[in-house]
Amino acid sequence: MIALLCFFLALLVSPFKPKSRLEAENAALRHQLIVLQRMVRGRVQLTNGDRLFLVQLYRWFPSVLKAMSLLKTPSI
């Protein structure tokens, strides 16, 4: 129930986000798709270029970390 409430609140707030932040989240999600397409034997292989991109993106837009699903650890 709380997750549903958080989803609706995020949905209401999203039109008020700055355009640059939305573009950064979009770039992060696209980059995750590229990395996932290179997945080998169920394991994500990050290159130095991937790491550099993610670090720079985080430096410019720290809030983009919320959009990153690639870096989340699976719950056991």
Side-chain angles (χ1 to χ4, degrees):
M1 182 70 172
I2 292 177
L4 186 62
L5 179 63
C6 289
F7 171 75
F8 283 120
L9 287 175
L11 193 62
L12 290 173
V13 172
S14 64
F16 302 107
K17 288 182 182 178
K19 185 177 178 182
S20 60
R21 181 176 166 192
L22 290 174
E23 289 174 351
E25 287 179 9
N26 213 2
L29 293 172
R30 285 182 183 177
H31 190 77
Q32 287 184 72
L33 288 175
I34 292 169
V35 170
L36 288 175
Q37 289 173 349
R38 292 187 313 221
M39 191 179 334
V40 178
R41 288 185 233 134
R43 185 169 181 182
V44 175
Q45 299 289 325
L46 292 176
T47 63
N48 287 336
D50 296 330
R51 291 180 185 97
L52 181 63
F53 174 78
L54 294 172
V55 167
Q56 283 301 107
L57 192 64
Y58 178 71
R59 283 183 181 175
W60 293 332
F61 303 98
S63 63
V64 82
L65 198 59
K66 295 176 184 176
M68 301 295 291
S69 62
L70 184 70
L71 302 177
K72 294 181 182 176
T73 57
S75 58
I76 297 175

